[in-house]
């Protein structure tokens, strides 16, 4: 490095506030800081602007019906169709423009462009096929697919006929698929034969079939997209109720399906996510409010314009892909990218190669990826022309200022604003982040709540804490993109998200406060730093996992008596799974058992939940009332100074465990 470079680095290192560049601010979709005040004064009518981004069949009568909190209704009595909003209405002006640019992992394979016209056609054909096989309005269709074009085609086809989809991340296990299909009483599955990962073909249908065998009701039909090139070595015989995706498309060539009018409050999709208990929660999203939220935030925060090529590297199997690969960008009529593979195949510059080739305007990714890019080194992005980028985004976990600055400098060339967006599966879309053309950025802090959002940081009593102090994040006003309930479980919906800070007997919406289970602090100027989950959820590489789910998988392994799982710090992943395990009498603490435990977790959830370390221990540290002291186990995992152990029933066990962890 030259002296000048060293000086520049040092300057960047110290800088705490970054202004959006003039060139970005001039062209931004939102440029008026007055929007914050305007939305506050004009709430909830301010959200008409979000609804106006959509085409409605029937106009709504009321922006917000808050007569029955927390069951809020947005854009009441309006009707619309999400598929028509993402496709049909763009045909006249943008029919020949790319809707999806799909990039497969194998480099030798041709990429595929779907214009709006072509995507519209495929969606219609698939929708016709679904109808023909009996899928009706309200039937939940499960999708268990990787990043292949048939996934958004199937999602939009479902939306077209009013059948909610429930997408299960392809990296989840067969068991996880079965649990979700059972919970949603879903009788239809769309899956695929396999896909490519780091150069190898992966068998996916085998796993899907194993999942299907665990479904407790009859499955009408399983549709299999044939993604592998000539089967790529896997021979699959289809069962009687299985049919190829491509056959459905071919059988319905040229078909059109009138988009079904859906009530604004009708369910667009279900998405299962982890919570405090072992059972995943089916988060229910609406058609009108959700789509308006996805579209509005895509426009306001990601600065998406129809002529952009926008690249989000998330997986559609998570909420980020739903809102910010499929629904938001397509509602705005832009070009959205889909990349099948990993960022390090065939080399660690794959994303930069894609950005350069497609001249991407935005990149939206996760801190865990940014930390990996940093570790791999700046020489990878430096080999490519990234000057097409106008904006960078991050989501999924807190981003440390060093990673933020690296992203800003080496990917954004100090020209692109970075939006650090806090939100959750449940919120449907972004909640806390800077408006990129308006607000300064502070690395490490997500920023102020979006206009029209009332976010407060409170103590356990619900009182607002002083700036700079840690507290709990709460949302004090409803918003259009919010989850409507947990599928068929209103009671759990109230318990999980509202009970903590609301007066649940009241029907005054002011008495209802949403609790996302995150800790946070707020600065004097209203910028919020999110500190992480305060419940039993851990965040591994931006993937949300329930410690209880992992524990129940571990105690299911023969020879395990008890287990406690915590998140330990990890340089790249953010958090990693640490499993403390007590063996049953008569079982040895062997390497075999350790492998069986790891396998058990992979079978029950998937490789993303694989424990970083399995620590055998004769006892777990417990309070006198018998509760496991997780905080201590976390401190041990992180090699930290151990605090007060005097409230333990068995303090002597702590140093034993610590010695073991250090020894590993
Ligand atoms: C965490 C992903 C800090 C948070 C969209 C939240 C974040 C959980 C951020 C939701 C961020 C998400 N800064 N933490 N910018 N974004 N989180 O449901 O703990 O998979 O509760 O949704 O991720 O994860 P989920």
């Amino acid at each position: 490095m030259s002296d000048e470079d060293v000086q520049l680095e040092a300057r960047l290192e110290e800088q705490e506030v970054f202004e959006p560049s003039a060139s970005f601010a001039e062209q931004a979709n939102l440029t008026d800081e007055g929007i914050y005040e305007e939305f506050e004064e004009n709430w909830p009518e301010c959200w008409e602007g979000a609804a106006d981004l959509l085409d409605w069949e029937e106009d709504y009568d009321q922006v917000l019906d808050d007569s029955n909190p927390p069951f809020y209704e947005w854009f009441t009595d309006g009707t619309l169709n999400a598929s028509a909003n993402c496709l049909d209405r763009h045909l006249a002006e943008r029919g020949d423009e790319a809707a999806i640019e799909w990039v497969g992992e194998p480099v030798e394979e041709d990429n595929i462009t779907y214009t709006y016209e072509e995507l519209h056609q495929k969606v219609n054909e698939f929708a016709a096929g679904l109808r023909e096989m009996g899928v009706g309005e309200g039937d939940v269709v499960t999708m268990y697919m990787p990043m292949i074009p048939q996934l958004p085609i199937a999602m939009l086809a479902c939306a077209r006929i009013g059948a909610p989809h429930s997408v299960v991340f392809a990296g989840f296990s067969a068991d996880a698929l079965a649990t979700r299909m059972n919970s949603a009483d879903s009788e239809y599955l769309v899956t695929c034969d396999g896909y490519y990962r780091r150069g190898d073909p992966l068998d996916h249908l085998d796993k899907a079939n194993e999942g299907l065998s665990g479904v407790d009701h009859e499955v009408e039909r399983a549709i299999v997209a044939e993604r592998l090139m000539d089967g790529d070595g896997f021979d699959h015989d289809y069962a009687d109720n299985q049919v190829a995706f491509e056959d459905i498309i071919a059988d319905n060539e040229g078909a059109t399906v009138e988009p079904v009018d859906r009530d604004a409050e009708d369910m667009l999709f279900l998405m299962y996510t982890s919570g405090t208990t072992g059972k995943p929660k089916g988060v229910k999203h609406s058609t009108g409010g959700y789509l308006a939220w996805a579209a509005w935030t895509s426009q306001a925060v990601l600065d998406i314009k129809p002529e952009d090529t926008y690249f989000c590297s998330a997986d559609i199997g998570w909420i980020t892909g739903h809102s910010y690969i499929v629904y938001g960008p397509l509602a705005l009529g832009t070009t959205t990218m889909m990349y099948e593979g990993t960022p390090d195949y065939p080399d660690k510059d794959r994303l930069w190669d894609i950005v350069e080739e497609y001249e991407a305007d935005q990149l939206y990714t996760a801190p865990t990826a940014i930390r990996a890019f940093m570790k791999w080194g700046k020489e990878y992005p430096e080999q490519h022309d990234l000057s097409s980028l106008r904006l960078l985004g991050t989501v999924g976990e807190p981003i440390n200022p060093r990673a933020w600055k690296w992203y800003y400098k080496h990917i954004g060339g100090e020209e692109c604003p970075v939006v650090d967006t806090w939100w959750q599966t449940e919120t449907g879309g972004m909640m806390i982040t800077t408006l990129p053309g308006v607000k300064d950025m502070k690395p490490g802090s997500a920023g102020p709540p979006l206009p029209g959002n009332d976010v407060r940081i409170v103590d356990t009593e619900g009182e607002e804490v002083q700036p700079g102090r840690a507290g709990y994040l709460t949302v004090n006003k409803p918003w259009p993109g919010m989850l409507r309930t947990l599928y068929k479980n209103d009671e759990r919906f109230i318990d999980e998200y509202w009970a903590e800070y609301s007066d649940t007997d009241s029907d005054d919406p002011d008495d209802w406060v949403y609790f996302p289970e995150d800790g946070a602090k707020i600065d004097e100027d209203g910028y919020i730093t999110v500190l992480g989950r305060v419940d039993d959820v851990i965040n591994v590489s931006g993937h949300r996992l329930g410690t209880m789910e992992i524990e129940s998988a571990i105690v299911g392994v023969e020879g395990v008596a008890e287990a406690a799982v915590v998140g330990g710090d990890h340089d790249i992943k953010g958090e990693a799974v640490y499993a403390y395990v007590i063996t049953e009498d008569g079982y040895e603490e062997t390497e075999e058992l350790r492998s069986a435990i790891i396998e058990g977790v992979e079978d029950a959830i998937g490789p993303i939940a694989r424990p970083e370390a399995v620590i055998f221990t004769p006892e777990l540290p417990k309070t006198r009332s018998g509760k496991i002291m997780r905080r201590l186990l976390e401190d041990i995992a992180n090699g930290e100074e151990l605090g007060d152990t005097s409230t333990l029933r068995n303090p002597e066990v702590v140093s034993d465990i610590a010695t073991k962890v250090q020894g590993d």
Side-chain angles (χ1 to χ4, degrees):
M1 267 201 284
S2 70
D3 283 358
E4 212 168 282
D5 273 351
V6 173
Q7 266 175 13
L8 273 177
E9 289 281 342
R11 197 205 64 206
L12 196 64
E13 203 65 25
E14 279 167 23
Q15 192 174 342
E16 281 174 1
V17 180
F18 293 73
E19 256 179 67
S21 65
S23 60
F24 180 87
E26 268 161 28
Q27 61 76 61
N29 286 340
L30 281 183
T31 51
D32 182 4
E33 182 145 25
I35 188 172
Y36 289 93
E37 210 179 299
E38 188 191 314
F39 271 41
E40 199 174 321
E41 281 166 13
N42 189 28
W43 191 93
E45 279 71 30
C46 55
W47 293 120
E48 284 170 8
D52 286 348
L53 293 174
L54 307 179
D55 279 2
W56 296 79
E57 274 311 305
E58 284 290 332
D59 276 340
Y60 51 89
D61 297 329
Q62 205 181 345
V63 174
L64 167 67
D65 176 352
D66 58 4
S67 56
N68 183 28
F71 301 97
Y72 297 98
E73 295 188 1
W74 287 87
F75 312 123
T76 328
D77 294 332
T79 68
L80 76 168
N81 183 283
S83 169
N85 269 284
C86 290
L87 299 168
D88 305 46
R89 64 177 180 143
H90 305 312
L91 294 179
E93 285 198 7
R94 302 191 46 80
D96 295 334
E97 304 292 334
I100 296 180
E101 294 281 10
W102 179 79
V103 178
E105 198 196 69
V107 264
E108 64 281 6
E109 191 185 20
D110 289 338
N111 299 334
I112 306 177
T113 302
Y114 290 85
T115 64
Y116 272 95
E117 192 75 59
E118 288 161 345
L119 188 62
H120 177 260
Q121 188 186 332
K122 294 261 188 263
V123 167
N124 272 273
E125 290 165 351
F126 195 67
L130 287 176
R131 268 239 175 106
E132 212 174 72
M133 64 181 70
V135 180
E137 213 177 324
D139 289 343
V140 176
V141 177
T142 303
M143 290 164 201
Y144 185 43
M145 292 160 102
M147 289 290 283
I148 57 175
Q150 291 92 336
L151 175 55
I153 291 171
M155 290 163 76
L156 293 167
C158 280
R160 200 164 188 86
I161 60 172
H165 51 73
S166 163
V167 179
V168 178
F169 175 57
F172 275 139
S173 68
D175 273 7
L177 171 65
T179 314
R180 286 158 179 73
M181 283 187 80
N182 288 337
S183 160
D185 290 322
S186 174
E187 297 178 342
Y188 299 90
L189 175 70
V190 189
T191 184
C192 72
D193 55 353
Y195 55 105
Y196 294 92
R197 234 350 142 256
R198 295 209 166 84
D200 292 323
L202 275 191
D203 190 343
H204 189 62
L205 188 53
D206 220 27
K207 205 165 67 162
N209 281 335
E210 198 189 320
L212 283 169
S213 68
V215 175
D216 59 14
H217 53 267
E218 192 170 343
V219 175
E220 290 289 334
R221 206 54 79 88
I223 302 162
V224 186
E226 293 174 347
R227 186 276 170 268
L228 294 176
M229 293 178 264
D230 297 323
D232 223 333
F234 300 111
D235 269 338
H236 290 119
D237 292 328
Y238 289 177
D240 286 347
N241 67 347
Q242 293 185 327
V243 47
F245 191 106
E246 289 65 27
D247 289 347
I248 293 178
I249 296 278
D251 290 348
N252 291 280
E253 200 186 326
T256 51
V257 171
E258 207 37 48
V260 170
D261 255 15
R262 296 281 281 166
D263 192 279
E265 282 300 311
D266 280 343
M267 167 160 55
L268 179 60
F269 66 85
L270 260 182
M271 166 126 254
Y272 282 89
T273 189
S274 299
T276 304
T277 71
K279 247 181 108 191
K281 312 188 266 199
V283 170
K284 176 180 159 185
H285 277 296
S286 69
T287 307
Y290 168 82
L291 195 61
W293 196 250
W296 189 85
T297 48
S298 293
Q299 190 179 60
V301 179
L302 298 171
D303 201 50
I304 290 179
K305 304 173 182 19
E307 58 279 11
D308 286 341
T309 297
Y310 156 82
F311 184 13
C312 167
S313 74
D315 191 293
I316 296 176
W318 305 100
I319 192 71
T320 303
H322 277 54
S323 302
Y324 300 113
I325 296 179
V326 181
Y327 286 111
L330 293 178
L332 296 179
T334 197
T335 300
T336 184
M337 307 260 342
M338 265 182 86
Y339 170 52
E340 179 186 33
T342 60
D344 56 353
Y345 183 85
D347 206 348
K348 299 187 177 73
D349 66 342
R350 187 67 191 271
L351 291 197
W352 319 128
D353 193 48
I354 297 173
V355 168
E356 179 172 18
E357 183 180 343
Y358 286 87
E359 299 180 22
D361 295 271
Q362 295 89 347
L363 178 70
Y364 191 29
T365 190
T368 190
I370 299 167
R371 289 190 294 265
F373 303 148
M374 241 174 108
K375 190 173 153 213
W376 298 338
K378 62 181 197 289
E379 52 276 27
Y380 292 99
E382 275 172 359
Q383 290 159 20
H384 295 274
D385 177 4
L386 305 181
S387 62
S388 61
L389 288 170
R390 188 172 83 236
L391 172 132
L392 302 175
T394 118
V395 58
E397 352 144 38
I399 181 163
N400 44 313
R402 254 191 76 214
W404 191 104
K405 289 176 185 175
W406 190 93
Y407 193 36
Y408 179 75
K409 177 164 191 225
H410 296 289
I411 308 304
E414 300 189 55
E415 286 291 325
C416 304
V418 175
V419 284
D420 173 0
T421 60
W422 177 88
W423 58 291
Q424 316 177 289
T425 305
E426 292 86 343
T427 67
M430 300 161 182
M431 300 292 284
I432 303 174
T433 183
T434 50
L435 287 174
V438 172
K439 286 283 187 189
D440 289 349
M441 299 158 270
K442 297 209 264 170
S445 157
L450 282 173
N453 267 345
D454 182 357
V455 175
R456 299 181 201 169
I457 315 299
V458 301
D459 60 20
T460 43
E461 306 295 315
E463 298 298 324
E464 280 187 68
V465 299
Q466 294 294 317
R469 287 282 171 79
Y472 302 96
L473 195 63
T474 56
V475 187
N476 292 258
K477 275 195 189 126
W479 65 100
M482 66 198 302
L483 79 165
R484 294 309 193 259
T485 190
L486 291 178
Y487 191 55
K488 292 190 178 159
N489 205 339
D490 291 346
E491 208 177 309
R492 187 169 175 204
F493 170 61
I494 293 178
D495 273 4
E496 295 252 3
Y497 303 108
W498 303 92
E500 192 84 21
Y501 290 109
S502 309
D503 172 1
T504 51
D505 293 327
S506 166
D507 51 20
D508 178 354
D510 288 344
D511 292 333
W512 287 81
V513 174
Y514 173 82
F515 180 42
E517 310 245 19
D518 268 319
K521 69 182 173 73
I522 190 163
D523 292 350
E524 296 285 354
D525 56 7
Y527 275 54
I528 293 170
T529 300
V530 178
L531 302 168
R533 303 285 304 194
V534 294
D535 58 359
D536 297 329
V537 166
I538 55 179
N539 197 327
V540 179
S541 302
H543 298 147
R544 186 169 153 181
L545 302 169
T547 51
M548 288 269 287
E549 287 169 74
I550 307 175
E551 285 165 9
S552 75
I554 297 177
V555 293
V557 173
E558 193 188 327
V560 174
E562 204 182 342
V565 163
V566 298
D569 296 344
H570 190 279
D571 280 353
I572 304 287
K573 298 179 187 172
E575 281 186 290
V577 175
Y578 277 74
Y580 297 89
V581 175
I582 303 179
T583 54
E584 249 176 296
D585 276 353
Y587 284 86
E588 300 280 315
E589 301 175 352
T590 60
E591 278 315 304
E592 285 72 41
L593 185 56
R594 185 172 272 136
S595 308
I597 288 168
I598 290 173
E599 215 173 285
V601 173
E602 293 195 343
D603 284 350
I605 301 164
I608 45 170
R610 187 188 166 92
E612 181 82 10
V614 175
I615 302 123
F616 290 115
T617 166
E619 264 183 272
L620 291 167
K622 288 189 179 166
T623 60
R624 294 209 171 87
S625 61
K627 266 188 80 175
I628 296 173
M629 282 278 273
R630 290 170 181 283
R631 183 184 51 77
L632 265 178
L633 292 173
E634 276 167 29
D635 289 348
I636 295 173
N638 295 335
E640 272 166 28
E641 193 77 29
L642 302 176
D644 185 13
T645 56
S646 61
T647 55
L648 289 181
R649 184 163 64 190
N650 50 355
E652 66 289 347
V653 57
V654 174
S655 61
D656 289 356
I657 305 178
T659 318
K660 271 199 160 175
V661 174
Q662 277 141 25
D664 274 354

